[in-house]
């Protein structure tokens, strides 16, 4: 099996209303989110028609009291979670949730980059028969097709991720007063971009763009389902359209498609 270190391997929605999130995303993207957890923990799988995309975790009152809010997070593959946590902390990052084992799945931790964007790192147990995650795919419907970082220190963040996860920059696109939109690749695969966050915009964070067949139709479903379209549909390179939206509980996400 090829080295998977540095890959985006899972996406997770933290939400205050699991039933509403299911109805919303099932309609907008065409997923099937489990209506009830299949195991002892309240964690619900998110599936596209041909495979898993991620999971949904309801936020408890205790989590919300501690400051947790509806959001999307990602998991990055690492070879050794504990060693990666140590190097991330040494490099100015933070530990949000100490390393923990997920029986039968692997070991993970939640961290934040030096600018404050949270994400998980995970050393997964390889599935029987091999194979790799298809949660991220530039072309598959229902998968995350683009990972975008808006950060308070674009150059510092790019340096951090390229050193820790083996990514590289692969060109840029000028955006006027907003600066350059710097493309990121892992191996030969374009995975996303990093941009300087705007002073009046959201805090440093990742936003994930999920692929749909018709962006304009999906944007209408966002509004119909109680969400908000904040930007777009807008044209992007590759003859595609994108929107940036939030679900009814406030979690930000993007959609991309023809």
């Amino acid at each position: 099996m090829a080295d998977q270190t540095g890959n985006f391997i899972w996406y997770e929605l933290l939400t205050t209303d699991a039933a509403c999130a299911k109805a919303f995303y099932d309609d907008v993207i065409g997923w099937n989110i489990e209506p009830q957890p299949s195991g002892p923990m309240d964690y619900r799988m998110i599936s596209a028609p041909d495979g898993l995309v991620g999971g949904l975790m309801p936020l408890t009152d205790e989590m919300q009291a501690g400051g947790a809010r509806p959001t999307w997070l990602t998991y990055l593959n690492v070879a050794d979670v504990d060693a990666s946590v140590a190097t991330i902390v040494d490099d100015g990052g933070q530990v949000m949730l100490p390393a923990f084992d997920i029986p039968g799945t692997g070991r993970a931790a939640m961290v934040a980059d030096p600018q404050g964007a949270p994400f998980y790192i995970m050393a997964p147990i390889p599935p029987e028969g091999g194979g790799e995650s298809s949660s991220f795919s530039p072309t598959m419907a229902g998968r995350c097709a683009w990972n975008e970082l808006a950060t308070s220190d674009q150059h510092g963040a790019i340096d951090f991720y390229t050193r820790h996860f083996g990514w590289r920059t692969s060109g840029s696109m000028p955006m006027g007063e907003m600066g350059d939109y710097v493309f990121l690749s892992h191996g030969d695969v374009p995975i996303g971009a990093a941009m300087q966050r705007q002073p009046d915009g959201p805090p440093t964070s990742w936003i994930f763009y999920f692929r749909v067949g018709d962006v304009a139709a999906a944007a209408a479903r966002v509004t119909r389902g109680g969400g908000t379209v904040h930007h777009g549909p807008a044209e992007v390179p590759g003859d595609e359209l994108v929107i940036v939206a939030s679900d009814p509980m406030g979690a930000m996400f993007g959609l991309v498609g023809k």
Side-chain angles (χ1 to χ4, degrees), residues 6-14 43 53-55 71-78 96 100 108-113 117-122 133 135-137 144-149 161 165 167 191 205-210 252:
N7 282 359
F8 290 87
I9 57 172
W10 195 250
Y11 296 90
E12 186 171 277
L13 174 63
L14 307 182
Y43 194 87
V53 177
T71 191
W72 278 97
L73 297 169
T74 191
Y75 286 67
L76 295 175
N77 188 315
V78 298
M96 311 294 286
F100 58 95
M110 186 192 292
V111 297
D113 67 24
F119 60 97
Y120 287 98
I121 54 174
M122 183 175 185
S133 168
S135 294
F136 169 76
S137 169
C144 180
W146 195 251
N147 306 278
E148 183 180 270
L149 177 65
Y161 286 100
F165 300 105
W167 303 349
I191 57 173
S205 60
W206 285 95
I207 186 168
F208 309 109
Y209 291 76
F210 300 100
M252 299 288 293

Side-chain angles (χ1 to χ4, degrees), residues 28-171:
V28 169
I29 302 180
W31 287 339
N32 180 20
I33 299 177
E34 286 185 313
Q36 298 294 330
S38 54
M41 180 180 177
D42 193 351
Y43 194 87
R44 311 176 190 200
M45 296 300 177
I46 301 172
S47 298
D50 55 352
L52 288 172
V53 177
L56 179 154
M57 178 182 290
L59 290 170
T60 65
D61 291 342
E62 182 179 2
M63 292 174 182
Q64 294 178 65
R69 296 293 180 267
T71 191
W72 278 97
L73 297 169
T74 191
Y75 286 67
L76 295 175
N77 188 315
V78 298
D80 185 321
V81 168
D82 297 271
S84 293
V85 167
T87 59
I88 286 169
V89 170
D90 287 345
D91 206 13
Q94 306 172 54
V95 177
M96 311 294 286
L97 185 63
F100 58 95
D101 291 316
I102 308 172
T105 301
R107 186 165 174 81
M110 186 192 292
V111 297
D113 67 24
Q115 292 73 43
F119 60 97
Y120 287 98
I121 54 174
M122 183 175 185
I125 297 172
E128 292 185 14
E132 60 187 77
S133 168
S134 63
S135 294
F136 169 76
S137 169
T139 59
M140 296 175 68
R143 305 312 203 279
C144 180
W146 195 251
N147 306 278
E148 183 180 270
L149 177 65
T151 177
S152 58
D153 181 359
Q154 184 185 38
H155 297 295
I158 290 172
D159 180 61
F160 172 84
Y161 286 100
T162 54
R163 283 188 295 103
H164 286 278
F165 300 105
W167 303 349
R168 62 181 179 86
T169 57
S170 49

